[in-house]
């Protein structure tokens, strides 16, 4: 359980911004800017953050759809940071991805059978009972009618399409599945069905998940550990219950307090306890110096602008709880209604 | 209630609103006999899944179905003393954007990409204030942008929609919707595309502006958390029909329709202990062209078998001693079933 399936050390991804005829590089979008993260065998690691935090880029780096600008990514101890497409192919059996949008991630001109069997054919996986049988087994596994293998994606609803995407990801019996916002495009009841399905499949096939999402309630439900990203950095990572009970980073606290409470009786209390984050996430082209959250943080002091806080264990947290903050939030600290004192630089 | 309205008539009253679309595949029964009222200064939440008719209800109120020749609308919509279903296009156009306006889900597609954000707000203002010169309208637009919390409004006035971030764009659209001090504001999934931190800002903004202007707000969403934060009353829609309605507190504390129970069971909550498993509604929403017989929820309802074949043959009517519910489960048993069989799993 505690063995690391995937390990990222100092991983960066900078997308160049070019200008002019000769594509002179004038800057870079620092989407992922030095993250250390490990995914343990058999766990579900939740990765949360606002849009633009770099969580999807991180997911794409781990599957090596993208190549890191710096740092190393190892999968089962093997360095995969700069492997070519051909070198990666055998590894693709072990790492699969589920995408957010069930409409654009399935080829509309291919039948469901063709979509789900494509990974089998690319990898030359023998199907003793025929490809059709293999596809039908997968369809049944994700709760779809096996008779529908000849249908096209448009004949299915959003939730059913997401099940097709899951069947495709499962076809190669991978060890690690990276799910990028797999349920955020779905209605609540369908969302819950897909979450339940993912949990069942994890138990059945000993899968490891990286679950990328912005919905903190869903992430809490499904994850064993949770990492919080802000502007290309991991600001906090901890065991699920630890993180939700004792969030340390002011950003984590703010994020959690912003989730609406589905209880009208507690409406006033929830609003009083809310941390108000003002403004938007700064640009990843030119992130703030020091701690990147300081421009929106109510606890920011001088040191936050000059020194970047390392991701380490703070206060009396367990070893597994890491926070990158000079002034972590202590238990029972009053945070409600706090706004940053200074105007953003 | 505003002065000049007879005491008997609510600010907005929708009576038996039915909206059908005739398509090549058949008749889409988008909304069926919906009735509700809304007073000034109050917020009505409409919840339901995609295809439940919640958005079409709001389009019906705004008369936006009128551009579609295949739409058939019946029933009555009273906005104070004006009836909107039978009103002329010209009359509805005068109200739209003025006395009643709308915030859409996706501000990028709701705003024109070729015109500056400022000029679009100015246009919205001048359409309803024909005598006003450009300079005054411009000041008004800048004032609105400042009011919704956009920094440097004079400069942002000249920006295009794509130059705004998602949250700022949604603010700009709220500024546009509020520029004529609408008495009725319809927000259709206004925060669905936004991050939670921005969502909290926007909900605060809608709440503050409502207090300031005393508008009536219809908040359409699939997020029960958003409804719980804002709404005074809630309608739950399923298959184009209202299946439960009542004060928000009642709907969250003592819901009586199995579909409402299912929605609550589908939702992981930060304010509760983690459950082993979610309890979603099984199956998927019905097609509005071929609605199931009887209660359209019966194929997904875990309690349908308990009423013999009644749920399969007879359409349940809204009613009940506490708040209106459209369900065949015996009225007196529903609170007990919720408390004993449903609540422990929420």
């Amino acid at each position: 359980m505690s063995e690391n399936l995937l390990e990222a050390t100092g991983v960066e991804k900078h997308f160049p911004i070019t200008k002019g005829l000769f594509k002179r590089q004038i800057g870079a979008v620092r989407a992922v800017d030095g993250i250390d993260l490990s995914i343990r065998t058999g766990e579900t690691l939740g990765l949360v953050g606002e849009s633009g935090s770099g969580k999807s880029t991180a997911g794409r780096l781990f599957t090596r759809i993208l190549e890191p600008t710096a740092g190393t990514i190892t999968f089962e101890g093997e360095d995969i940071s700069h492997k070519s497409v051909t070198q990666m192919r055998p590894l693709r059996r072990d790492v699969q991805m589920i995408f957010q949008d069930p409409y654009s991630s399935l080829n509309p001109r291919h039948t469901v059978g063709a979509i789900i069997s494509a990974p089998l054919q690319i990898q030359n996986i023998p199907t003793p009972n025929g490809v059709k049988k293999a596809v039908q087994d997968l369809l049944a596994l994700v709760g779809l009618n096996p008779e529908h293998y000849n249908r096209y994606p448009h004949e299915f609803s959003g939730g059913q399409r997401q099940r097709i995407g899951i069947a495709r990801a499962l076809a190669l019996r991978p060890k690690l599945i990276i799910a990028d916002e797999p349920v955020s495009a779905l209605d609540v009841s369908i969302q819950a069905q897909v979450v339940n399905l993912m949990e069942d499949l994890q138990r059945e096939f000993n899968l490891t998940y990286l679950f990328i999402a912005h919905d903190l309630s869903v992430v809490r439900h499904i994850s064993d550990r949770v990492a919080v990203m802000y502007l290309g950095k991991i600001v906090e990572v901890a065991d699920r219950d630890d993180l939700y009970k004792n969030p340390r980073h002011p950003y984590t606290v703010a994020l959690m307090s912003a989730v609406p409470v589905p209880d009208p009786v507690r409406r006033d209390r929830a609003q009083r306890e809310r941390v108000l984050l003002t403004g938007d996430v700064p640009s990843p082209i030119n992130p703030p110096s020091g701690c990147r959250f300081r421009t929106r943080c109510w606890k920011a002091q001088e040191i936050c602008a000059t020194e970047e806080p390392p991701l380490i264990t703070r206060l009396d947290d367990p070893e597994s709880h890491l926070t990158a903050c000079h002034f972590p939030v202590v238990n029972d600290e009053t945070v409600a209604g706090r706004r940053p004192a200074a105007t953003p630089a | 209630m505003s002065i000049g309205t007879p005491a008997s008539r609510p600010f907005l009253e929708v009576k038996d609103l039915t909206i059908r679309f005739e398509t090549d595949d058949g008749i889409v029964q988008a909304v069926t006999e919906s009735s509700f009222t809304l007073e000034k200064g109050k917020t009505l939440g409409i919840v339901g899944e995609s295809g439940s008719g919640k958005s079409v209800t709001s389009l019906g109120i705004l008369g936006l179905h009128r551009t579609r020749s295949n739409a058939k609308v019946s029933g009555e919509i009273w906005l104070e003393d004006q009836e909107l279903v039978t009103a002329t296009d010209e009359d509805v156009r005068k109200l739209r954007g003025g006395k009643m306006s709308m915030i859409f889900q996706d501000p990028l597609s709701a705003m024109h990409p070729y015109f500056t954000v400022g000029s679009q707000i100015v246009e919205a203002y001048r359409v309803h204030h024909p005598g006003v010169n450009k300079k005054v309208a411009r000041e008004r637009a800048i004032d609105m942008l400042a009011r919704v919390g956009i920094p440097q409004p004079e400069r942002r006035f000249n920006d295009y929609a794509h130059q705004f971030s998602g949250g700022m764009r949604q603010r700009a659209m709220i500024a546009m919707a509020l520029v004529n001090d609408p008495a009725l504001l319809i927000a259709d999934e206004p925060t669905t595309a936004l991050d939670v931190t921005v969502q909290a800002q926007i909900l605060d903004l809608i709440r503050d502006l409502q207090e300031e202007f005393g508008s009536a707000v219809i908040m359409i969403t699939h997020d029960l958390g958003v409804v719980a934060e804002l709404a005074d009353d809630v309608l739950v829609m399923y298959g184009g029909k209202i299946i439960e309605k009542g004060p928000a507190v009642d709907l969250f504390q003592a819901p009586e329709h199995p579909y409402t129970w299912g929605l609550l069971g589908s939702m992981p909550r930060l304010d509760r202990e983690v459950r082993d498993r979610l309890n979603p509604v099984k199956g998927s929403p019905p097609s509005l062209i071929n609605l199931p017989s009887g209660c359209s929820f019966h194929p997904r309802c875990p309690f349908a078998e308990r009423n013999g074949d009644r749920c399969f043959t007879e359409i349940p009517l809204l009613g009940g001693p506490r708040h209106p519910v459209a369900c065949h489960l015996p009225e007196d048993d529903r609170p007990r079933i919720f408390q004993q069989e449903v609540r422990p799993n929420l």
Side-chain angles (χ1 to χ4, degrees), chain A residues 50-51 187-189 192-193 196 200 217 220-221 240 244 260-265 267 271 274 276-277 280, chain B residues 49-50 165 195 197 199 201 207 228-229 231 252-253 266 268-269 272-275 277-278 280-281 283 300:
Chain A
E50 290 175 279
S51 36
D187 273 319
V188 266
S189 68
Q193 291 174 3
N196 281 349
D200 293 343
S217 336
R220 184 181 100 161
H221 178 83
R240 186 251 319 258
Y244 282 83
V261 178
D263 185 351
V265 177
R267 180 190 294 183
Q271 279 162 24
R274 180 155 296 155
L276 297 162
L277 279 190
D280 287 322
Chain B
E49 294 174 273
S50 344
S165 70
D195 285 314
T197 53
Q199 166 171 293
Q201 294 169 9
R207 204 168 12 229
E229 290 254 324
F252 281 88
Q253 297 289 314
S266 303
R269 304 174 56 147
R272 301 266 171 91
E273 290 299 309
V274 182
R275 286 180 276 163
R277 239 179 128 66
L278 299 171
V281 193
R300 303 175 74 191

Side-chain angles (χ1 to χ4, degrees), chain A residues 12-325:
Chain A
E12 289 179 11
K13 181 68 194 177
H14 293 180
F15 295 101
I17 307 167
T18 55
K19 196 183 173 184
L21 181 62
F22 298 106
K23 304 248 150 117
R24 187 163 47 92
Q25 189 175 338
I26 54 161
V29 177
R30 297 154 78 168
V32 169
D33 208 12
I35 60 172
D36 300 321
L37 193 66
S38 51
I39 306 175
R40 299 173 190 163
T41 309
E43 78 169 347
T44 300
L45 175 65
L47 186 57
V48 294
E50 290 175 279
S51 36
S53 62
K55 55 190 195 305
S56 290
T57 305
R60 276 153 209 256
L61 286 168
F62 298 160
T63 44
R64 275 301 323 280
I65 291 175
L66 293 173
E67 188 175 350
T69 318
T72 51
I73 301 168
T74 60
F75 182 78
E76 293 191 307
E78 192 183 343
D79 188 345
I80 59 165
S81 326
H82 302 287
K83 279 191 187 289
S84 68
V85 173
T86 332
Q87 286 170 321
M88 270 307 287
R89 191 157 296 141
L91 273 156
R92 297 249 175 260
R93 279 194 200 193
D94 294 333
V95 187
Q96 286 288 310
M97 191 145 182
I98 301 171
F99 297 91
Q100 171 175 9
D101 182 357
Y103 294 85
S104 61
S105 60
L106 302 176
N107 189 332
R109 290 166 185 269
H110 287 183
T111 62
V112 168
I115 289 168
I116 296 177
S117 63
L120 298 170
Q121 275 154 2
I122 291 167
Q123 295 281 351
N124 282 320
I125 307 279
T127 43
N129 301 315
V131 173
K132 181 177 160 186
K133 179 76 174 63
V135 168
Q136 288 185 325
D137 288 347
L138 282 162
L139 284 173
L141 198 60
V142 296
L144 291 171
N145 187 343
E147 302 299 311
H148 292 171
Y149 72 101
N150 246 343
R151 295 198 177 183
Y152 287 89
H154 74 263
E155 297 175 77
F156 294 88
S157 68
Q160 289 172 323
R161 286 184 210 215
Q162 203 54 298
R163 287 172 192 267
I164 296 169
I166 293 173
R168 174 176 61 186
L170 276 179
L172 299 172
R173 297 278 184 268
K175 292 174 182 157
L176 173 64
I177 291 186
I178 294 188
D180 189 0
E181 301 269 14
V183 297
S184 57
L186 308 174
D187 273 319
V188 266
S189 68
I190 311 297
Q191 204 169 48
Q193 291 174 3
V194 171
V195 166
N196 281 349
L197 172 69
M198 285 183 68
E199 289 184 326
D200 293 343
L201 294 170
Q202 179 169 42
R203 223 162 291 141
E204 195 170 341
F205 298 107
N206 296 316
L207 296 169
T208 305
Y209 287 140
L210 176 69
F211 194 94
I212 303 170
H214 69 275
D215 185 330
L216 289 144
S217 336
V218 174
V219 166
R220 184 181 100 161
H221 178 83
I222 202 168
S223 307
D224 301 305
R225 284 195 310 140
V226 178
V228 182
M229 272 189 91
Y230 185 78
L231 215 56
K233 295 269 187 194
I234 292 192
V235 295
E236 187 163 5
V237 55
D239 289 341
R240 186 251 319 258
D241 293 339
D242 207 21
L243 185 90
Y244 282 83
K245 282 202 182 86
N246 303 317
R248 295 294 181 213
H249 199 286
Y251 177 63
T252 316
V253 174
L255 212 51
M256 279 181 196
S257 77
V259 178
V261 178
D263 185 351
V265 177
R266 294 172 47 185
R267 180 190 294 183
D268 295 332
R269 219 185 99 204
Q271 279 162 24
R272 265 205 316 279
E273 290 172 2
R274 180 155 296 155
V275 185
L276 297 162
L277 279 190
T278 45
D280 287 322
V281 183
S283 158
I285 298 170
N286 190 13
S289 63
C291 171
R292 297 184 171 196
F293 185 58
R294 69 176 168 87
T295 54
R296 300 170 81 194
C297 183
W298 66 95
K299 302 186 84 173
Q301 300 191 16
E302 248 165 65
I303 185 178
C304 301
T306 52
E307 204 174 300
E308 189 181 327
L311 186 66
I312 52 171
T313 305
R314 310 261 172 182
L315 306 174
D316 51 358
D317 281 333
E319 229 173 275
S320 57
H321 191 156
L322 308 176
T323 313
C325 178

Side-chain angles (χ1 to χ4, degrees), chain B residues 166-217:
Chain B
M168 286 298 152
R169 218 179 274 143
Q170 195 59 281
R171 282 166 192 268
M173 193 159 64
I174 292 175
M176 195 192 301
L178 293 177
V179 72
N180 294 310
D181 295 338
L184 173 65
L185 179 66
I186 301 178
D188 189 356
E189 306 265 10
T191 59
T192 304
L194 305 175
D195 285 314
V196 274
T197 53
V198 185
Q199 166 171 293
Q201 294 169 9
I202 299 285
L203 295 182
D204 270 355
L205 176 66
I206 293 177
R207 204 168 12 229
D208 291 349
L209 293 167
Q210 179 178 29
E211 259 168 40
E212 192 179 333
F213 298 103
S215 320
V217 175

Side-chain angles (χ1 to χ4, degrees), chain A residues 264 267, chain B residues 12 34-39 41-49 52-55 57-58 61 184-190 203 206 210 215-238 241-249 251-252 259-260 263:
Chain A
R267 180 190 294 183
Chain B
L12 172 73
S34 267
S35 300
F36 57 90
T37 62
L38 176 61
E39 295 294 353
K42 296 285 181 191
T43 301
L44 174 73
I46 305 184
V47 287
E49 294 174 273
S52 62
K54 54 192 196 310
S55 292
T57 302
S58 66
I61 296 171
L184 173 65
L185 179 66
I186 301 178
D188 189 356
E189 306 265 10
L203 295 182
I206 293 177
Q210 179 178 29
S215 320
V217 175
I218 297 180
M219 173 68 73
I220 298 165
T221 177
H222 67 272
D223 186 335
L224 293 167
V226 171
V227 169
E229 290 254 324
L230 280 183
D232 299 294
D233 292 295
V234 180
L235 304 180
V236 184
M237 292 195 72
Y238 187 83
K241 297 189 190 80
I242 296 171
I243 51 112
E244 184 161 10
K245 66 176 171 183
V249 176
L251 257 100
F252 281 88
Y259 177 62
T260 315
L263 284 182

Side-chain angles (χ1 to χ4, degrees), chain B residues 42-298:
Chain B
K42 296 285 181 191
T43 301
L44 174 73
I46 305 184
V47 287
E49 294 174 273
S50 344
S52 62
K54 54 192 196 310
S55 292
V56 179
T57 302
S58 66
L59 297 182
I61 296 171
L62 283 175
L64 288 173
H65 59 274
R66 285 166 182 257
T67 52
R68 314 260 311 236
S69 56
N70 63 349
K72 295 265 176 298
V73 180
S74 65
E76 297 167 36
I77 301 169
W78 289 90
L79 186 67
E80 297 194 304
D81 47 8
Q82 194 165 11
E83 207 288 309
L84 302 182
V85 172
T86 53
T88 63
D89 287 357
E90 186 53 35
D91 285 342
V92 176
R93 191 153 50 227
K94 278 184 186 145
L95 292 171
R96 201 189 291 139
K99 194 172 178 182
M100 55 183 189
S101 68
M102 181 142 177
I103 304 170
F104 294 91
Q105 174 175 356
D106 179 6
L108 195 56
S109 59
M111 283 191 158
H112 203 293
Y114 287 1
F115 295 97
T116 62
V117 168
S119 69
Q120 294 181 61
I121 300 176
V122 165
E123 186 193 3
Y125 187 64
R126 292 186 81 206
V127 163
H128 293 278
H129 299 82
V132 170
N133 71 35
K134 275 189 183 168
K135 194 161 166 268
V136 174
R138 185 189 151 90
E139 273 161 22
R140 168 83 184 166
I142 290 173
D143 180 43
M144 284 314 296
L145 287 172
R147 204 88 141 262
V148 297
I150 290 179
Q152 298 176 283
E154 298 84 7
R155 196 173 65 77
R156 302 299 296 212
F157 180 91
N158 296 316
D159 279 354
Y160 293 89
H162 74 265
Q163 292 168 296
F164 279 62
S165 70
M168 286 298 152
R169 218 179 274 143
Q170 195 59 281
R171 282 166 192 268
M173 193 159 64
I174 292 175
M176 195 192 301
L178 293 177
V179 72
N180 294 310
D181 295 338
L184 173 65
L185 179 66
I186 301 178
D188 189 356
E189 306 265 10
T191 59
T192 304
L194 305 175
D195 285 314
V196 274
T197 53
V198 185
Q199 166 171 293
Q201 294 169 9
I202 299 285
L203 295 182
D204 270 355
L205 176 66
I206 293 177
R207 204 168 12 229
D208 291 349
L209 293 167
Q210 179 178 29
E211 259 168 40
E212 192 179 333
F213 298 103
S215 320
V217 175
I218 297 180
M219 173 68 73
I220 298 165
T221 177
H222 67 272
D223 186 335
L224 293 167
V226 171
V227 169
E229 290 254 324
L230 280 183
D232 299 294
D233 292 295
V234 180
L235 304 180
V236 184
M237 292 195 72
Y238 187 83
K241 297 189 190 80
I242 296 171
I243 51 112
E244 184 161 10
K245 66 176 171 183
V249 176
D250 292 1
L251 257 100
F252 281 88
Q253 297 289 314
E256 295 194 26
H257 197 287
Y259 177 62
T260 315
W261 298 342
L263 284 182
L264 290 168
S266 303
M267 201 180 37
R269 304 174 56 147
L270 281 188
D271 58 333
R272 301 266 171 91
E273 290 299 309
V274 182
R275 286 180 276 163
D276 277 351
R277 239 179 128 66
L278 299 171
N279 287 298
V281 193
K282 62 180 185 188
S284 41
S287 148
L288 293 171
I289 294 177
N290 283 311
L291 279 173
S293 63
C295 171
S296 41
F297 185 59
H298 84 252

